[in-house]
Amino acid sequence: MLRILRNGVFGLVLLSGLFAAAPPASAAYPDRPVHWLIGFAAGGPVDIVARIMAQWLSDHLGQQFIVENRTGSGGNIAAAAAINAAPDGYTLLFVAPNNAISTSLYKKLPFDFLRDTTPVASIMQLTNMLVVSNAFPAKTVQEFIDYCKANPGKISFASSGNGTSVHMSAELFKAMTKCDMVHVPYRGSAIAFPDIISNKVQLIFDNLPSALEQAKGGSVRALGVTSPQRWPSVADVPAIAETVPGFESVGFYGISAPKGTPPEVVEILNKAVGEALKDPKLVARLAETGGIPKPMTPAEFGKLVTDETEKWRKVVEFAGVSVD
């Protein structure tokens, strides 16, 4: 009996040693498809960039990265879904300025974005572009301002939802120029463009990827970019700041995960995104959208999101807007 007990104890010790020596499950990450939630409709700027990056990650990490469009509430529906998912690296969130803006714009969010997420990687920096319907009479930013002031309350601007940089760029413009315009939110800029093209809504301060595509196709007219200087990929388009000194709205795209996601998973993803942003083919595709690759460590990206949250809090207060 004593020998049996000894053998049993030895067996348990051996098994525990094997388990201790086994690599953590995340060492094999990813070993199944990864779901990447984005808060806006298919065909919009976030969707375009997410699908470019998701394809690269799928090809190079051996598992499919599935882009899921969870639209509504300025991207907060997707954020809530990601935050409430298991922190195992298999649910990620596409992060953009809307996440930084919502913290101060929305008064009753069921989460604290900075507290409840883990920063993973930065993808790129981008500007917004003011584009108008071809039927709109203004051909320059100054003509736009003059027309707006001569027709208060008669101009409507579209956005990809409350709390997006598309929305807040327009609110900042309104506050700085004293233009009286009506906000018409959509569940993504791709959905808004048919109404802009038909002049049901006159304009949008859209993220560059989709605004540039529409402007190049001739369906809308570009008046200016929201960066403080002209944007390199569209240097022929003036910066709005050339007419409205101090006007600025520069955005970012990146990836976050639910709080508690293992550091080793974050490291794998961050390294993969960093490698992607060195790939000439992927960089060329991002350049076509007007984006500038911006690789960062998770800590650097976390600081960027924190800084952007504070920056947009000041803009929200300055513009005097809020969403219940």
Side-chain angles (χ1 to χ4, degrees):
M1 176 64 71
L2 184 60
R3 187 187 307 132
I4 292 172
L5 287 172
R6 284 174 176 169
N7 288 342
V9 170
F10 176 76
L12 289 173
V13 171
L14 179 62
L15 283 172
S16 65
L18 286 172
F19 281 119
S26 57
Y29 176 88
D31 62 5
R32 63 180 188 273
V34 177
H35 293 262
W36 194 4
L37 308 187
I38 71 171
F40 305 100
V46 170
D47 184 74
I48 291 168
V49 174
R51 292 181 189 278
I52 291 171
M53 183 60 68
Q55 186 60 59
W56 194 98
L57 293 172
S58 299
D59 293 342
H60 290 79
L61 291 182
Q63 291 291 337
Q64 189 175 7
F65 278 66
I66 302 168
V67 172
E68 292 188 11
N69 302 85
R70 303 282 186 93
T71 64
S73 188
N76 289 316
I77 289 175
I83 286 169
N84 290 321
D88 54 10
Y90 289 94
T91 302
L92 305 174
L93 177 68
F94 193 107
V95 182
N98 62 285
N99 301 111
I101 295 166
S102 292
T103 299
S104 53
L105 182 70
Y106 283 80
K107 304 307 179 186
K108 298 178 182 179
L109 285 178
F111 56 81
D112 181 318
F113 190 82
L114 294 177
R115 181 195 66 201
D116 297 334
T117 61
T118 297
V120 174
S122 167
I123 297 173
M124 65 185 238
Q125 188 179 45
L126 73 162
T127 185
N128 287 359
M129 178 185 278
L130 166 58
V131 296
V132 299
S133 165
N134 286 326
F136 193 73
K139 302 294 192 299
T140 67
V141 173
Q142 187 58 58
E143 287 180 6
F144 176 90
I145 294 170
D146 293 342
Y147 184 89
C148 185
K149 288 185 175 181
N151 297 274
K154 296 180 181 179
I155 298 173
S156 298
F157 70 92
S159 81
S160 50
N162 288 313
T164 60
S165 71
V166 180
H167 170 208
M168 291 307 300
S169 293
E171 293 290 355
L172 180 60
F173 184 85
K174 283 175 60 179
M176 293 183 72
T177 62
K178 308 303 180 185
C179 280
D180 181 8
M181 301 186 293
V182 179
H183 179 210
V184 183
Y186 291 77
R187 286 179 173 265
S189 60
I191 300 172
F193 267 106
D195 285 353
I196 298 167
I197 293 167
S198 66
N199 202 35
K200 290 180 181 177
V201 179
Q202 284 68 54
L203 66 124
I204 188 169
F205 285 76
D206 198 20
N207 291 169
L208 189 59
S210 55
L212 183 58
E213 181 180 2
Q214 295 288 346
K216 282 182 175 179
S219 57
V220 295
R221 183 167 61 254
L223 296 190
V225 293
T226 62
S227 50
Q229 293 87 32
R230 297 194 181 206
W231 198 251
S233 60
V234 285
D236 58 325
V237 179
I240 293 171
E242 294 174 27
T243 304
V244 186
F247 183 86
E248 177 185 351
S249 177
V250 177
F252 64 94
Y253 285 168
I255 304 172
S256 285
K259 181 181 179 181
T261 299
E264 55 268 31
V265 169
V266 172
E267 183 180 355
I268 289 168
L269 287 167
N270 183 272
K271 182 179 179 181
V273 172
E275 289 299 315
L277 297 179
K278 296 176 185 176
D279 185 327
K281 292 182 179 178
L282 182 131
V283 170
R285 293 193 68 191
L286 292 183
E288 290 174 359
T289 72
I292 298 174
K294 202 76 172 177
M296 295 182 179
T297 66
E300 289 170 339
F301 182 55
K303 183 178 185 304
L304 172 67
V305 177
T306 299
D307 291 347
E308 287 288 308
T309 299
E310 176 59 17
K311 180 189 83 174
W312 283 108
R313 181 188 66 77
K314 293 176 181 177
V315 173
V316 167
E317 291 179 357
F318 177 70
V321 293
S322 66
V323 178
D324 291 330

